[in-house]
Amino acid sequence: MGNIIPDNTVINKCLDVLNVVKYRCPFKDHGAKKLLTGQAVTLLIKAQLEKKESLESITEGLQSEEDLQHFIKLDTIHASTIYRKLESLSTDYLKQLYQDLIEKIGTKYANKQGLPNIGVLNIIDSTEISLPARSKWAYCSKDKNGVKVHTRLALLDETVKLADKIISSTAAVSDQEATEFLVLANLATYVFDRGYINYNLYYEWDLKDIPFVARVKANSKFTIIHEQLFEENSAVGRDVDVEVRVPKTDKVFNLRLIEYQDDQKRKYRVVTNRWDLKASDIAEIYRLRWEIESFFKWIKQHLNVVKWFNTKPNAVWNQIYIIMIAYALCEWVKLLTGTSKTLWEVLKKLKLYWFKSWQTFIDVLNRKSNRTSKGRRKRGKPGRPRKKPKKYQAQKIINP
């Protein structure tokens, strides 16, 4: 425990921005002699980045890594202690850690003006994560317990996207109920899928000059006011000004309805209050909604979201924020290094070079591949494509 980890290591560079390692919560750590808040948060963030499967794997990792022991001033800890600590951590503290880091990243990207001719997009959606059958506190239906992470993903330009706001809830909370925490009056255009159809919300956003693009159902009915001209030879089939009536009220307002097809001939209908854009731009905005699906897929695949270390309510909320802090750290490292590598490539190197020097880490990230060949290419079989499925016969194989 006497060794000193140099200040220029990767783990120091990452966690300095959080200022968390030596943190002792005046309320939660009162009288604690082992595993203070800062130590626990450091262990848990590292565990999420490394996709640890269990609390036991966290404790074994600590026992096997002397550098980690020196770094957090802790040589061993029992899995049950981490279990209890995860539940007792302050959710407000973790939430603030995440928000502070996101704000620092946002400050670095302050000059980003969004997509050409469109501006910044804020894509709103949620992802659902299941909990075991015993977690009745998150009951949703007879065969489902779970939580949701409602997310706002900001597209700051063609290459930069940032999950700058999240709200966690039980799965029974509808997507529409979370919008009041995610939709704010700013210069960004908000993008929604069909899970957010609510004409009263559209009416309120239009009154507040909050621009949005939202998909509606194929059978949604509107009163057509005016048919717009649109580009020929485009995927857009219709561009009309419509009158929208809010159900069960006397509220009436105007929106723009655009119908188009994608490359696979799937039809879409979206409404918007962006009157200044071409119909093809509106179609492009909704196409970019897929970025948030890619984001959800990324955190689930690479940060082990579905592995709960403790399924009690406060522990679940805390782990969600630890996951998001781990994601934001990857964004921060990518920003600091200025690399053009993907976030996944940054994370892979991060896990290998925790206790190496920061300069070594940058050199590895920027190292050019020596491989000149693109590898062996598969070629399609000659002849006409098969129309009927190939028939197989039962195969008898004995492996004595």
Side-chain angles (χ1 to χ4, degrees):
M1 296 285 287
N3 293 358
I4 298 175
I5 304 297
D7 291 339
N8 66 342
T9 56
V10 173
I11 194 167
N12 262 305
K13 196 76 170 178
C14 290
L15 296 181
D16 271 356
V17 68
L18 296 175
N19 192 26
V20 69
V21 181
K22 298 179 182 179
Y23 178 72
R24 180 170 187 150
C25 178
F27 306 106
K28 301 293 182 178
D29 293 335
H30 180 68
K33 296 180 180 179
K34 204 169 188 182
L35 197 60
L36 305 179
T37 293
Q39 294 170 320
V41 172
T42 302
L43 277 176
L44 289 164
I45 290 173
K46 190 171 182 291
Q48 293 296 164
L49 288 169
E50 295 177 347
K51 291 188 69 173
K52 297 291 188 183
E53 294 287 324
S54 65
L55 293 174
E56 287 74 17
S57 64
I58 298 177
T59 61
E60 290 170 3
L62 175 61
Q63 291 170 4
S64 66
E65 291 186 70
E66 290 189 7
D67 285 338
L68 180 59
Q69 295 172 21
H70 300 317
F71 184 71
I72 66 172
K73 304 294 187 292
L74 185 68
D75 54 5
T76 183
I77 197 69
H78 198 276
S80 61
T81 305
I82 307 175
Y83 178 92
R84 291 190 296 270
K85 193 67 177 181
L86 178 57
E87 185 182 358
S88 67
L89 289 172
S90 168
T91 306
D92 287 339
Y93 170 68
L94 296 174
K95 188 185 300 184
Q96 194 61 52
L97 276 181
Y98 170 66
Q99 207 58 52
D100 287 347
L101 183 50
I102 287 295
E103 287 177 6
K104 287 178 181 178
I105 297 171
T107 300
K108 297 287 186 179
Y109 287 136
N111 62 330
K112 301 293 183 182
Q113 300 298 314
L115 302 166
N117 304 319
I118 291 175
V120 175
L121 299 181
N122 279 346
I123 305 171
I124 307 291
D125 207 348
S126 70
T127 188
E128 194 170 300
I129 312 170
S130 298
L131 285 165
R134 65 179 179 273
S135 302
K136 295 303 181 186
W137 64 269
Y139 178 87
C140 183
S141 64
K142 184 175 66 174
D143 53 359
K144 183 174 72 174
N145 302 321
V147 292
K148 281 183 178 180
V149 183
H150 306 269
T151 305
R152 184 176 70 201
L153 184 73
L155 265 62
L156 304 177
D157 66 12
E158 296 95 328
T159 59
V160 178
K161 56 186 177 182
L162 184 66
D164 64 353
K165 181 75 174 176
I166 69 158
I167 298 293
S168 52
S169 75
T170 54
V173 175
S174 73
D175 290 344
Q176 296 174 26
E177 291 175 279
T179 55
E180 65 174 292
F181 304 101
L182 298 173
V183 178
L184 304 173
N186 56 27
L187 298 178
T189 298
Y190 288 84
V191 188
F192 306 92
D193 69 1
R194 286 177 293 191
Y196 293 85
I197 295 176
N198 186 317
Y199 297 114
N200 192 55
L201 284 176
Y202 299 168
Y203 174 79
E204 292 177 0
W205 295 337
D206 192 49
L207 279 182
K208 296 176 182 177
D209 292 326
I210 297 175
F212 66 90
V213 173
R215 188 177 178 185
V216 293
K217 296 178 181 178
N219 60 355
S220 299
K221 295 181 179 179
F222 306 101
T223 302
I224 297 175
I225 300 173
H226 178 66
E227 190 98 23
Q228 299 281 0
L229 296 176
F230 51 88
E231 310 100 296
E232 294 182 2
N233 301 319
S234 74
V236 176
R238 204 173 194 190
D239 182 4
V240 293
D241 300 348
V242 296
E243 182 181 85
V244 182
R245 187 174 298 275
V246 180
K248 300 180 181 179
T249 71
D250 57 354
K251 298 174 183 176
V252 177
F253 64 112
N254 295 344
L255 288 177
R256 185 180 178 190
L257 172 68
I258 292 165
E259 299 177 355
Y260 69 95
Q261 290 184 339
D262 65 9
D263 295 339
Q264 299 179 8
K265 303 301 180 183
R266 292 174 296 198
K267 295 181 180 180
Y268 294 84
R269 302 177 84 214
V270 297
V271 292
T272 182
N273 57 353
R274 287 290 304 261
W275 308 92
D276 57 313
L277 297 178
K278 296 186 296 185
S280 56
D281 290 334
I282 301 297
E284 175 65 8
I285 287 175
Y286 190 78
R287 186 191 68 80
L288 289 168
R289 197 203 69 82
W290 188 251
E291 291 287 352
I292 199 166
E293 303 293 351
S294 299
F295 169 75
F296 290 145
K297 182 179 179 180
W298 193 92
I299 62 171
K300 286 183 176 181
Q301 282 187 339
H302 303 312
L303 298 180
N304 224 13
V305 171
V306 294
K307 294 290 183 181
W308 298 110
F309 298 139
N310 181 332
T311 55
K312 294 182 179 179
N314 204 58
V316 169
W317 306 136
N318 287 342
Q319 191 171 344
I320 287 172
Y321 275 103
I322 287 168
I323 289 165
M324 296 306 296
I325 292 168
Y327 148 74
L329 270 179
C330 293
E331 292 281 11
W332 177 252
V333 171
K334 183 178 179 181
L335 178 62
L336 284 186
T337 58
T339 181
S340 59
K341 295 283 196 300
T342 66
L343 208 59
W344 169 227
E345 291 172 310
V346 170
L347 175 55
K348 284 193 291 186
K349 295 294 188 293
L350 196 59
K351 291 189 286 188
L352 295 172
Y353 289 84
W354 275 119
F355 297 101
K356 302 295 183 181
S357 74
W358 180 251
Q359 188 57 51
T360 299
F361 177 68
I362 292 177
D363 292 343
V364 168
L365 271 182
N366 295 330
R367 183 187 300 158
K368 293 183 179 180
S369 175
N370 294 326
R371 183 176 179 180
T372 56
S373 170
K374 294 183 179 180
R376 185 175 178 181
R377 301 297 183 90
K378 289 185 177 181
R379 295 182 179 180
K381 293 183 178 180
R384 292 177 297 176
R386 181 184 295 274
K387 292 185 177 180
K388 295 181 179 180
K390 185 176 180 179
K391 293 183 179 181
Y392 295 89
Q393 294 181 346
Q395 303 294 313
K396 294 184 178 182
I397 299 174
I398 298 176
N399 186 17

